């Protein structure tokens, strides 16, 4: 077996190869002055291949690179795409909108990716767009294992009821309790309104989790809620740390003591927790 990592997943690729005790091939990319690029992949004949390439911003470029890699690795057995971009558009919310995730599913399957492993996909509806349903694992168990010796009976806060699935592994690993707040987004304006629970967080460790943090418009009010409630320490746990410019500073300024993110998105400015162990475990089952 061999792990082939694309440019968006170098660190995860290294960790995954270690976990699977196999060799690693890192693709080579050359970018031309006009922005086009080419990819070189040297894979030994006859090896079973695990391709790993996440698709955070620049999403289109990372996806295209993934397609190029899949073309080079026609015999790939498993395709690991931790952040499956465009999964937020899982339906036609407003008349005329293209269901982007359905298009991505068609493209991936046409490139031969039929055993896909993804991490905390934003919408499970997207899994149904594939004829061979991708395996979706959570990064929250890894994040919880990392946090369990740092916190005492924490309150885990999810941004909405649907996100309780992210809170649950954290709660379990850290022996805490969990609550959710209500979030409503106006589809036309993008404005978000919140309703917070009556939970007492005074003097408590608080973990706020979400699958994605991008502009911080969801995370910031939750940090404020915990801070104003007198939380002892506030931890932010996120699977896909998309963090637009300046967002990390904003989260810290609002009161986040530590920001932890999975290696779905490679970053040097927050605590990175690898999800390679859980990916390797599932890869062994499906390869
Ligand atoms: C939305 O439903 C997601 O789960 C996240 O809460 C959202 O994508 C976060 O984005 P932002 O940081 O821009 O609020």
């Amino acid at each position: 077996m061999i792990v082939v990592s694309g440019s968006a997943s170098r660190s995860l690729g290294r960790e995954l190869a270690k976990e699977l005790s196999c060799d690693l091939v890192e693709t080579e990319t050359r970018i031309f002055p006009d922005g086009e690029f080419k990819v070189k992949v040297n894979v030994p004949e006859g090896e079973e291949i695990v391709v790993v390439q996440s698709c955070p911003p620049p999403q289109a470029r990372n996806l295209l690179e993934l397609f190029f890699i899949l073309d080079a690795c026609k015999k790939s057995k498993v395709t690991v795409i931790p952040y499956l971009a465009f999964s937020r558009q899982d339906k036609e919310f407003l008349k005329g909108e293209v269901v982007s995730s359905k298009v991505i599913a068609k493209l991936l399957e046409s490139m031969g990716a039929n055993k896909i492993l993804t991490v905390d996909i934003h919408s499970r509806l997207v899994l149904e767009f594939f004829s061979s349903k991708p395996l979706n694992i959570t990064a929250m168990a890894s994040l919880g294992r990392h946090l369990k010796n740092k916190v005492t009976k924490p309150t885990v806060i999810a941004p909405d009821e649907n996100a309780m699935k992210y809170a649950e592994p954290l709660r379990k690993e850290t022996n805490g309790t969990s609550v959710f707040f209500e979030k409503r987004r106006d589809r036309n304006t993008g404005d978000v309104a919140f309703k917070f629970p009556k939970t007492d967080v005074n003097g408590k460790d608080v973990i706020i989790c979400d699958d994605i943090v991008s502009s911080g418009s969801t995370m910031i009010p939750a940090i404020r809620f915990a801070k104003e409630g007198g939380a002892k320490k506030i931890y932010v746990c996120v699977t896909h740390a998309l963090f637009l410019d300046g967002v990390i500073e904003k989260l810290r300024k609002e009161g986040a003591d530590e920001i932890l993110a999975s290696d779905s998105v490679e970053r040097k400015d927050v605590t990175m927790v690898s999800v390679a162990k859980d990916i390797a475990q599932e890869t062994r089952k499906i390869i």
Side-chain angles (χ1 to χ4, degrees), residues 88 122 159-160 166 183 185 210-219:
R88 281 184 276 197
H122 180 70
D160 56 29
Y166 308 127
K183 180 177 98 175
R185 192 182 290 268
D210 209 348
D211 58 335
I212 300 170
V213 174
S214 177
S215 67
S217 69
T218 309
M219 194 48 79

Side-chain angles (χ1 to χ4, degrees), residues 24-94:
L24 170 71
V25 170
E26 294 190 338
T27 59
E28 286 169 44
T29 307
R30 186 169 152 214
I31 304 172
F32 297 102
D34 60 6
E36 285 190 8
F37 61 96
K38 66 175 178 181
V39 173
K40 197 164 128 201
V41 192
N42 287 318
V43 277
E45 285 285 309
E47 287 279 0
E48 288 185 319
I49 303 172
V50 178
V51 168
V52 52
Q53 164 79 340
S54 204
C55 295
Q59 295 89 336
R61 191 214 167 281
N62 283 326
L63 267 169
L64 196 56
E65 185 181 325
L66 173 60
F67 295 142
F68 292 169
I69 299 170
L70 287 171
D71 188 69
C73 302
K74 291 203 177 62
K75 295 212 177 100
S76 69
K77 290 281 180 189
V78 177
T79 307
V80 180
I81 317 170
Y83 180 62
L84 187 52
F86 297 101
S87 292
R88 281 184 276 197
Q89 186 82 36
D90 58 2
K91 55 171 89 76
E92 186 183 356
F93 294 103
L94 299 176

Side-chain angles (χ1 to χ4, degrees), residues 4 8 56:
V4 173

Side-chain angles (χ1 to χ4, degrees), residues 86-183:
F86 297 101
S87 292
R88 281 184 276 197
Q89 186 82 36
D90 58 2
K91 55 171 89 76
E92 186 183 356
F93 294 103
L94 299 176
K95 197 173 165 357
E97 284 179 353
V98 172
V99 183
S100 332
S101 56
K102 202 173 192 173
V103 177
I104 301 298
K106 268 192 220 162
L107 290 169
L108 282 167
E109 291 203 319
S110 73
M111 292 305 300
N114 55 15
K115 281 187 185 172
I116 294 175
L117 195 154
T118 188
V119 182
D120 288 330
I121 192 158
H122 180 70
S123 163
R124 292 185 188 188
L125 288 179
V126 174
L127 302 173
E128 307 298 330
F129 296 148
F130 292 81
S131 45
S132 160
K133 202 171 162 178
L135 194 63
N136 176 46
I137 69 160
T138 184
M140 293 298 165
S142 303
L143 289 159
R145 288 195 291 269
H146 183 93
L147 269 179
K148 72 175 166 200
N149 295 324
K150 291 188 174 195
V151 293
T152 314
K153 293 197 185 315
T155 303
V156 184
I157 302 181
D160 56 29
E161 193 169 7
N162 197 27
M164 284 300 270
K165 58 182 179 287
Y166 308 127
E168 185 52 20
L170 284 167
R171 187 202 62 75
K172 233 165 127 187
E173 291 291 345
T174 59
N175 196 22
T177 51
S178 52
V179 289
F180 63 89
F181 58 86
E182 283 171 42
K183 180 177 98 175

